[in-house]
Amino acid sequence: MKSRPSTTSTATTANASGSARAQSVDRGLAEQVDRLLARTQHDPHAFLGAHAVGDDVVVRAFRPGGDAPTVIVDRGERDGSAEIEMREIDARGLYEARLAGRQLPLDYRLRDAGFNEAGRDPYSFLPSIGDLDVHLVGEGRHWHLGDVLGAHARAVGDTAGIGFVVWAPAARSVSLVGDFNGWDDRTLPMRTLGSSGLWELFVPYAHPGDRYKYSVHGRDGSVRLHADPVAARTEVPPDNASVVFESAYQWSDHAWMAARESGDGTAPQPLSVYELHPGSWRQGLDWRALASEVAQHVCDLGFTHVELMPVMEHPFSGSWGYQVTGFYAPTARFGTPDDFRAFVDELHCRGIGVILDWVPAHFPRDDWALARFDGTALYEHDDPRRGAHPDWGTLIFNYGRNEVRNFLIGSALAWLRDFHVDALRVDAVASMLYLDYSRREGEWVPNRYGGREDLEAVDFIRELNEVIASEAPGAYTVAEESTAWDGVSRPVRDGGLGFRYKWNMGWMHDTLDYFGREGVYRRFHHNELTFSMVYAYSERYVLPLSHDEVVHGKRSLLGRMPGDRWQQLANLRSLYAYMWAHPGKKLLFMGGELAQEHEWNHEASIDWGLRSVEGHAGMESLLRDLNRVYRCEPALWSDDDPAAFRWLEADDADHNVFAFVRFDSRSDGGARPVVCVANLSPLPRHDYQLRMPSGGVWEELVDTDSSFYGGSDVGNGGSVAADAGEYHGSEHSARLVLPPLGVLWLGRRGD
């Protein structure tokens, strides 16, 4: 009979050639352990687990600092199982058991000393992800990245467990640590999958709820415990481990999603957005409690959408979520990922859309997160002139790397598809578009043409929006972009960036600057309100009065208004009515509906007590009516045609009066026009003659000076008559009473 070489250090053989071969195998195993401990082993499955050796099977396990494990082998229903204690063949913790006459595949389990329960060996399984997934990840075109990378419940054969996959191409080695192995980074080394840069391990004894991290040994000699970049769940900050999570949520928003997917986004539609910070809207609420209370409040006020400041996991609450470490995980501060799904579901079932702020522009330097993930600048640029943000102390993504673009696009798709979010408001787009953003001469690197545009970021943004259009029908993006970059909201096919909307930062700055002035000085700044119409149709705009305008010494919106308290409230009411009538979609930050007196503080709830204070309570009533009339009058949300807007009075700076008319631009054009007249002086204007688009009786749809809102009831008794007769080039005009610091909306009766 042919002799079989032994793989144990204590084995003897019957002849010299067998002895020499055994020593060679021993040296080979010792070298494997050397590599394992030196963190240069890329394929621990090559020698751990079960392997055929001649006519036998050898099972090896690595247990540094532990006692000998036991191999339990199934011998069939009649014979039961056999238990074989493994022998130590390397004093550094390598154990082996030889199973004579066995063949692969072998059904076996391992039980460690001191434990009664036995489990399948992680090193007895083939990779838990397929070749196609690996190929698509390498190409940077895996649009379900969150389903492949990270931690996921899988079945390999008839064995259930958790498959872990992480991208770390320059790492010397990666080990899995967590609740399932006592956080010992020696016991679960991962294997690489070819040249993909992916490291993988299937752990049959890991379960949902287990905390975990990756111990990454970089080529630079660094050793760091990193959270999973695509973790579906995290610990509650300041703890920062990832958590194995599998969703069990059953959605109820089928009608909403079907309607969303059937729309093409080109037809005019009303959009008024209530922006909120979930931690300070009403403190102490989790996602499910927030869902109920937010839905009730937003439905009552008539907003069409809620926009949440970033809910992606972030370590520092003072960043308000804009320094993200968990791009695939809702913050655990308010519950589980399924609790967040319930939040979205509740709003959808109440007819409210959900928009999330999303931050692909930069990420924080925390060494347990994305920074130098594999010991190199993996997610970020290595050159600080490209990779470090001078304003925020953060790192900038390397948009030229396929896998990084895929990571970000995969994140966007996860929120839009897996969490049913309707849109993403992309933060800090201007900082992405320009290489010299906030940099002095010599601190930035020109592009290949010598220009300041970041061509890689532009390509990423276009790819992002094209992929969203194809992979998440009906979902869209909104750009917070503060420069004059051309075509931000133009389709990619027409040379644009592909966002559906862009925040109109110019309108916001000019408008707040004007309203912040005393009435006596406004005549000298009249153009600050008229200039917006020069470019109002150059993009598809959202008019934002966001959180950024009520923090850091900027004062609340009410606090920006001049005059005594009555005038402040009247000014704020006029601001809202002017804004809701102006072309562009609407966005208002929480607290604005209460005429919040103080700046926003992320550590305190908004001042709900103001709802019972005279003047403040009227602000809620006004916004309720503005949203109601806005949604009922298509002329007010037909924002895509310059011909649907006409100035009626743009030059009366001496009286601080503005007037314009909005028309329905839809193909049928059947809705009535709406006239907006603003008197932004503290003096009433009696018998003010204004040209009108047509004759007839025009009823007051909104009067911000109504006592119902806290005003003085200076008005027109509910309607005005437009008479025939040429006036300033118009065939009709009307004589109106314009209330002080007031805005009127007029709609022709009978239309």
Side-chain angles (χ1 to χ4, degrees), residues 249 251 274 276-279 281-282 284-300 306 308 334 336-354:
Y249 192 76
W251 290 92
Y274 183 76
L276 67 87
H277 177 260
W281 185 75
R282 194 188 298 274
L285 302 181
D286 61 16
W287 284 125
R288 293 179 186 263
L290 269 169
S292 176
E293 296 201 22
V294 167
Q296 180 177 348
H297 185 62
V298 171
C299 283
D300 175 58
V306 162
L308 300 178
F334 314 117
T336 71
D338 278 354
D339 291 333
F340 179 69
R341 287 181 171 91
F343 175 90
V344 176
D345 203 9
E346 173 76 12
L347 267 64
H348 280 176
C349 291
R350 298 286 296 273
I352 304 165
V354 179

Side-chain angles (χ1 to χ4, degrees), residues 3 5 13-23:
S3 64
T13 58
N15 54 59
S17 62
S19 176
R21 189 173 178 187
Q23 292 173 6

Side-chain angles (χ1 to χ4, degrees), residues 39 84 143 159 173 184 212 251 257 275 329 370 408 557 669 671 750:
R39 310 299 182 172
I84 304 101
W143 307 138
T159 303
S173 72
D184 186 339
Y212 70 98
W251 290 92
M257 294 299 291
E275 184 193 21
L370 296 181
L408 291 170
L557 291 178

